Amino acid sequence: MLLCSVVAPFNPVLATVKQSQEIRHYAVNPLPGQTLQEAMRASTPIQKHNRHWYGKTQWNINPLYRFRHLSGGCYVNDRSVELAIVITLPQLEGQADDTELSAQFSRFYDALLQHELGHQALGIDAANAIDDFLSQPNIFADCQALQVAVNERVNAIINQYQQLNKQYDAETQHGKTQGAVITGRREP
């Protein structure tokens, strides 16, 4: 008796990263005589490690994948990667007649936005790295071993890019070197 094993050709479904982005603003409404820094400090909802921050980028990556088991082994045959990005920034309200304050805020906002877009870029890179990994023809003897390997690698990629986020903040001093600075006094 002749036994034959037929293995279908490896043909993973191509995927792209599905990205959503939301920019949320919190109101900053300086009181008369209050500096922009004082108003921002009083208004920001962003606090971490007993510090006030004026902007924040959060990204969440959700890799979805299915395995296919054939007589030759188990592999990822269907995948998608979802990336949700939320950027939180200040929005100046009132003080429309105070052109000095408005100009100071505008310069700060533009620099802060550029800084936060750097964090967003790292989230996009992380999602693309996960998608690239999932597209590789990793064939394992059983699906349980493949699932463990995939979960470990996806978590390692996310951790790597979280560390890159921290490094980015250290290198830019949380945006200060990019101009995201507000002094406690009014600019001359």
Side-chain angles (χ1 to χ4, degrees):
M1 177 180 210
L2 181 63
L3 291 175
C4 256
S5 162
V6 178
V7 177
F10 180 76
N11 189 16
V13 175
L14 298 178
T16 58
V17 174
K18 297 171 186 141
Q19 178 183 333
S20 66
Q21 180 193 43
E22 178 183 359
I23 296 182
R24 296 179 184 165
H25 288 95
Y26 61 90
V28 177
N29 194 351
L31 301 172
Q34 191 177 39
T35 67
L36 184 56
Q37 185 180 42
E38 292 166 339
M40 298 269 300
R41 190 178 220 5
S43 301
T44 182
I46 308 163
Q47 295 183 28
K48 187 175 180 181
H49 305 300
N50 295 322
R51 291 189 65 184
H52 293 84
W53 302 100
Y54 303 134
K56 180 177 184 178
T57 299
Q58 293 177 280
W59 44 262
N60 184 41
I61 299 172
N62 186 22
L64 305 168
Y65 46 87
R66 286 190 217 147
F67 301 127
R68 177 146 187 188
H69 190 273
L70 296 172
S71 59
C74 188
Y75 63 93
V76 174
N77 83 322
D78 188 16
R79 73 185 194 284
S80 67
V81 178
E82 297 173 353
L83 171 63
I85 299 170
V86 177
I87 299 175
T88 304
L89 296 166
Q91 181 171 324
L92 187 63
E93 295 186 355
Q95 303 294 326
D97 57 338
D98 190 337
T99 55
E100 179 186 325
L101 190 91
S102 294
Q104 183 184 17
F105 179 81
S106 181
R107 284 189 298 276
F108 170 76
Y109 182 91
D110 290 346
L112 181 61
L113 176 59
Q114 288 308 307
H115 175 74
E116 296 305 326
L117 291 175
H119 285 295
Q120 173 181 279
L122 289 169
I124 292 168
D125 289 348
N128 285 331
I130 290 169
D131 187 56
D132 288 346
F133 166 71
L134 291 175
S135 71
Q136 296 173 9
N138 296 305
I139 300 175
F140 278 68
D142 67 83
C143 289
Q144 185 175 2
L146 178 59
Q147 183 166 10
V148 168
V150 166
N151 288 342
E152 286 176 356
R153 182 65 185 132
V154 165
N155 288 332
I157 291 169
I158 291 171
N159 289 336
Q160 173 190 2
Y161 281 90
Q162 288 173 338
Q163 289 304 314
L164 289 172
N165 261 322
K166 290 177 183 178
Q167 182 180 338
Y168 174 66
D169 272 336
E171 290 172 358
T172 64
Q173 297 176 26
H174 295 277
K176 286 181 184 175
T177 64
Q178 298 165 301
V181 179
I182 297 178
T183 61
R185 58 179 172 72
R186 290 187 172 262
E187 294 181 355

